[in-house]
């Protein structure tokens, strides 16, 4: 559907320049910095509230979709937010974001918990399609890349050190077989997934699988409401938006195309 390299001073889609990325705020622009892996890339900042907007991509309208993005989180941040959002999109007609409305229909969020959070070392995903009407406590579900669903409790599951100074690939996709749910990959390996009946003790409802009615921009390096407490500190590159679900072989190929090696062994989820 759309591939934006976000590298070497290019902010348009390739090979056809149909879509473009912009600074979330002209007063707080992202910066181009040299990078050994991708050349010049965009660096976001929590201190400057600097993020990126990708406009007018009709993403998720068919129900099946995927997003793939490379991130390189700064080892430390001047203002270390509880959560740093790497991607965020939601229907602009929805009420203002808070701890409840973030679970309303038509939104997708990917973010990294801070080092002091029990879920540190994971990517957290919230996916709600047009059919995911808010139903109270059961709707407040999110998935962590260690397989935990809706949990802020301490855990001893395997993690990924996103602050190790290396690039990491994050992939979020609806289920290749169709139906409700989604899968979450880190560095080309499937780390977690939810589907019908695959909730934490059947407590949380499963989102995703039906069309998204986002009707708005996709925000990188921050939350869609530009909350000053939710910006990402680090670099982003190689944004790919798909109008189909990706299976493990397709995600692994994306990882290998950049690194030249196979993904690490996938978690048993």
């Amino acid at each position: 559907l759309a591939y934006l390299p976000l590298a070497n001073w290019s902010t348009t889609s390739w090979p056809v320049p149909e879509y473009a990325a912009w600074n979330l705020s002209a007063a707080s622009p992202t910066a181009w910095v040299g990078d050994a892996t991708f050349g010049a890339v965009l660096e976001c900042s929590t201190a400057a509230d600097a993020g990126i907007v990708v406009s007018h991509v009709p993403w998720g309208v068919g129900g099946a979709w995927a997003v793939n993005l490379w991130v390189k989180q700064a080892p430390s941040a001047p203002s270390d937010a509880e959560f740093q959002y790497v991607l965020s999109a939601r229907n602009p007609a929805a009420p203002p974001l808070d701890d409840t409305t973030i679970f309303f229909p038509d939104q997708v969020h990917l973010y990294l918990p801070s080092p002091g959070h029990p879920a540190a070392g994971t990517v957290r995903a919230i996916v709600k399609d047009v059919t995911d009407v808010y139903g109270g406590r059961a709707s407040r579900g999110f998935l962590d890349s260690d397989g935990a669903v809706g949990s802020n409790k301490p855990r001893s599951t395997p993690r990924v050190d996103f602050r190790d100074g290396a690039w990491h690939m994050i992939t979020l996709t609806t289920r290749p077989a169709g139906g409700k749910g989604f899968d979450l990959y880190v560095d080309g390996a499937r780390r977690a997934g939810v589907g019908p009946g695959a909730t934490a003790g059947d407590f949380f409802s499963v989102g995703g699988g039906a069309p998204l009615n986002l009707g708005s921009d996709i925000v990188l390096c921050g939350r869609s409401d530009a909350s000053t407490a939710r910006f990402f500190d680090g670099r982003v590159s190689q944004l790919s938006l798909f109008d189909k679900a990706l299976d493990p072989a397709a995600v692994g190929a994306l990882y290998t195309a950049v690194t030249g090696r196979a993904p690490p062994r996938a978690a048993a989820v």
Side-chain angles (χ1 to χ4, degrees), residues 178-204:
K180 298 295 289 183
F182 53 94
D183 294 329
L184 188 55
Y185 292 73
V186 178
D187 292 334
R190 183 177 180 270
R191 304 284 181 170
V194 290
T199 59
D202 293 328
F203 183 80
F204 290 103

Side-chain angles (χ1 to χ4, degrees), residues 157-195:
T157 47
R159 312 293 180 85
V160 174
D161 182 7
F162 287 97
R163 297 182 180 236
D164 60 0
W167 284 96
H168 294 280
M169 192 180 86
I170 299 172
T171 312
L172 180 65
T173 176
T174 53
R175 299 174 70 84
K180 298 295 289 183
F182 53 94
D183 294 329
L184 188 55
Y185 292 73
V186 178
D187 292 334
R190 183 177 180 270
R191 304 284 181 170
V194 290

Side-chain angles (χ1 to χ4, degrees), residues 10-52:
S10 173
T11 57
T12 57
S13 58
W14 184 90
V16 180
E18 185 175 1
Y19 307 108
W22 315 86
N23 283 308
L24 186 60
S25 169
S28 303
T30 53
W32 287 102
V33 295
D35 182 80
T37 301
F38 297 116
V41 298
L42 287 167
E43 188 167 70
C44 304
S45 169
T46 56
D49 296 342
I52 304 164

Side-chain angles (χ1 to χ4, degrees), residues 35-268:
D35 182 80
T37 301
F38 297 116
V41 298
L42 287 167
E43 188 167 70
C44 304
S45 169
T46 56
D49 296 342
I52 304 164
V53 173
V54 180
S55 301
H56 309 304
V57 182
W59 180 52
V61 296
W65 53 264
V67 57
N68 190 76
L69 179 68
W70 284 83
V71 302
K72 186 177 184 179
Q73 191 173 27
S76 60
S79 177
D80 203 1
E82 182 181 18
F83 301 118
Q84 292 192 10
Y85 278 61
V86 296
L87 182 143
S88 179
R90 70 192 300 258
N91 191 309
L97 273 175
D98 58 29
D99 289 345
T100 296
T101 60
I102 199 167
F103 300 106
F104 279 24
D106 290 321
Q107 49 192 318
V108 176
H109 305 283
L110 279 170
Y111 52 100
L112 304 176
S114 67
H117 192 278
T122 71
V123 184
R124 178 166 289 184
I126 296 174
V127 175
K128 299 293 181 181
D129 62 42
V130 69
T131 69
D132 293 323
V133 177
Y134 184 74
R137 189 177 180 185
S139 296
R140 302 172 70 87
F142 46 82
L143 175 67
D144 292 341
S145 58
D146 64 350
V149 179
S151 175
N152 283 314
K153 296 180 179 179
R155 72 284 297 260
S156 58
T157 47
R159 312 293 180 85
V160 174
D161 182 7
F162 287 97
R163 297 182 180 236
D164 60 0
W167 284 96
H168 294 280
M169 192 180 86
I170 299 172
T171 312
L172 180 65
T173 176
T174 53
R175 299 174 70 84
K180 298 295 289 183
F182 53 94
D183 294 329
L184 188 55
Y185 292 73
V186 178
D187 292 334
R190 183 177 180 270
R191 304 284 181 170
V194 290
T199 59
D202 293 328
F203 183 80
F204 290 103
S205 59
V206 177
L212 292 170
N213 182 24
L214 298 175
S216 66
D217 301 327
I218 299 167
V219 175
L220 305 180
C221 298
R223 204 168 70 176
S224 58
D225 63 346
S227 168
T228 57
R230 294 294 182 259
F231 279 93
F232 173 71
D233 200 63
R235 303 174 182 183
V236 294
S237 191
Q238 311 300 306
L239 173 67
S240 296
L241 298 165
F242 300 88
D243 56 4
K244 62 180 182 181
L246 299 182
D247 61 18
V251 177
L254 291 170
Y255 181 80
T256 302
V258 170
T259 65
R261 61 182 184 271
R265 187 175 181 179

